[in-house]
Amino acid sequence: MELREILKKVVLLGDGGVGKTSLIARYVIDKFDDKYIATIGTKVSRKDIQIIRPNLIVNLRMMIWDVLGQKEYSKIRAASLSGAQGLILVADLTRDETVSNMTDFWLKEAEDVVGKVPTVLVGNKSDLADKREMTSTLLESTGQKLSIPTYIASAKTGDKVEDIFVTLGELMVADVTVPPLAKSEGPSTLAEVVDFIVQDFCAQYGDLEKAMLIVQHQFQEAGIDIRRPHRDAILQALEGLAKAEELSLSMTVAMVNLEERRKMIVLAKD
Ligand code: G3D
Ligand code: MG
């Protein structure tokens, strides 16, 4: 299991009053690190999410930029847009013109600055029933035409808000891969598998010295003779390593690692 730490800049765009600030406020619970850059009217919030793929855990930190909605401030916005790696374009379902502006104005402006980057379209205020049916349909067909994921959401009720950011996160890390472990060269005997797991544990733990002490302790507890490792003893030691990872990394990382290592041990040749 490989672990990657990735930082991405996300910018929300759309007409004034569509709900950009409200969507961010709804999604970003921890406002501890919020910064408000008053002079350029831009606020940056932070949100960490974890994306799990086969062989890979991505810890994604999104820096979410809420920029000025007035069309006139295009130069200031260009500065805020620069370097954006993901876009969330927002329209207000109760105002038709915000839907057409989303693609005709905002998407164009963004592409002029950053080119094509992962994007999600949002029709916000789905809780306001009147007038929203027509604009939802228009928005969804726009998204389909452009092959951009589209959500009908509500910052007020929270409906689909998490999906917007998670989908964008997944799109932004879609190109993050790990070199596949060549089957023929991968660990195959029990000793080789143990060697691989110890190295993998140390690499993920970060502090090599401490990691080796943990390995040593867990192997001793399980009564492992490193020259002739016994399968059941190793499986027992893996539990101990997982406990250490749960404390130092996270519950999810520990669980995914444990499952994968167990499989390797069970499949290894004596
Ligand atoms: P902006 O940042 O895009 O300019 P804001 O938009 O987030 O400031 O929201 C503009 C107004 O719309 C706010 O109302 C806000 O409460 C409201 N709003 C945002 N999202 C929703 C939603 O999903 N449903 C409803 N019903 N209202 C929403 P005020 O009155 O504070 O200006
Ligand atoms: Mg705002």
Side-chain angles (χ1 to χ4, degrees):
M1 181 62 66
E2 296 253 351
L3 195 64
R4 295 284 160 84
E5 308 280 343
I6 288 176
L7 183 75
K8 296 277 185 189
K9 173 175 174 177
V10 172
V11 178
L12 274 84
L13 290 174
D15 290 356
V18 295
K20 301 180 294 297
T21 304
S22 306
L23 285 166
I24 297 171
R26 165 65 69 171
Y27 184 60
V28 180
I29 304 143
D30 177 14
K31 292 196 184 148
F32 182 69
D33 250 29
D34 281 10
K35 269 181 278 178
Y36 187 70
I37 309 165
T39 47
I40 59 166
T42 297
K43 188 176 165 182
V44 183
S45 312
R46 192 180 85 185
K47 177 87 177 188
D48 294 336
I49 62 168
Q50 198 167 62
I51 294 168
I52 297 174
R53 299 228 222 97
N55 296 324
L56 178 68
I57 295 171
V58 181
N59 283 330
L60 172 66
R61 170 160 293 178
M62 288 191 273
M63 303 306 294
I64 305 169
W65 290 54
D66 185 8
V67 305
L68 274 178
Q70 290 100 318
K71 289 205 175 98
E72 297 76 35
Y73 294 104
S74 65
K75 288 204 170 59
I76 299 174
R77 250 193 332 265
S80 303
L81 260 171
S82 145
Q85 292 149 304
L87 297 173
I88 296 174
L89 299 177
V90 187
D92 177 343
L93 292 171
T94 67
R95 288 184 289 146
D96 296 2
E97 76 279 8
T98 65
V99 177
S100 44
N101 280 342
M102 190 162 81
T103 44
D104 299 349
F105 181 84
W106 297 105
L107 187 59
K108 277 206 176 69
E109 182 180 270
E111 286 187 345
D112 283 347
V113 181
V114 292
K116 282 209 188 307
V117 295
T119 301
V120 173
L121 304 184
V122 179
N124 188 40
K125 309 195 187 181
S126 64
D127 56 287
L128 299 174
D130 57 325
K131 266 193 95 181
R132 81 180 179 86
E133 208 159 293
M134 199 184 74
T135 44
S136 305
T137 312
L138 172 65
L139 187 68
E140 276 165 342
S141 69
T142 304
Q144 249 163 22
K145 231 184 298 167
L146 299 171
S147 300
I148 300 178
T150 305
Y151 288 100
I152 303 302
S154 168
K156 188 175 179 183
T157 66
D159 188 37
K160 295 289 186 299
V161 173
E162 176 129 13
D163 295 4
I164 296 165
F165 289 90
V166 171
T167 296
L168 184 67
E170 282 169 349
L171 287 175
M172 288 191 299
V173 303
D175 57 350
V176 179
T177 52
V178 284
L181 197 65
K183 284 274 179 290
S184 56
E185 295 161 20
S188 53
T189 68
L190 204 49
E192 281 171 337
V193 170
V194 169
D195 184 51
F196 176 83
I197 289 173
V198 169
Q199 166 261 313
D200 183 52
F201 173 80
C202 292
Q204 288 192 39
Y205 197 82
D207 182 338
L208 182 65
E209 215 170 320
K210 221 165 148 193
M212 281 312 290
L213 282 175
I214 293 171
V215 170
Q216 203 174 19
H217 177 72
Q218 293 302 335
F219 276 35
Q220 239 162 31
E221 287 280 298
I224 296 174
D225 175 357
I226 202 73
R227 285 158 303 178
R228 276 192 51 103
H230 192 275
R231 212 178 290 264
D232 292 336
I234 299 166
L235 288 172
Q236 187 190 324
L238 291 184
E239 308 267 347
L241 296 186
K243 286 220 175 64
E245 283 182 331
E246 197 180 311
L247 293 172
S248 66
L249 300 168
S250 78
M251 175 89 151
T252 326
V253 175
M255 272 166 44
V256 173
N257 279 342
L258 179 60
E259 208 38 55
E260 188 174 289
R261 288 168 188 164
R262 265 196 194 128
K263 221 183 307 167
M264 290 174 74
I265 294 294
V266 170
L267 294 175
K269 288 184 290 215
D270 275 314

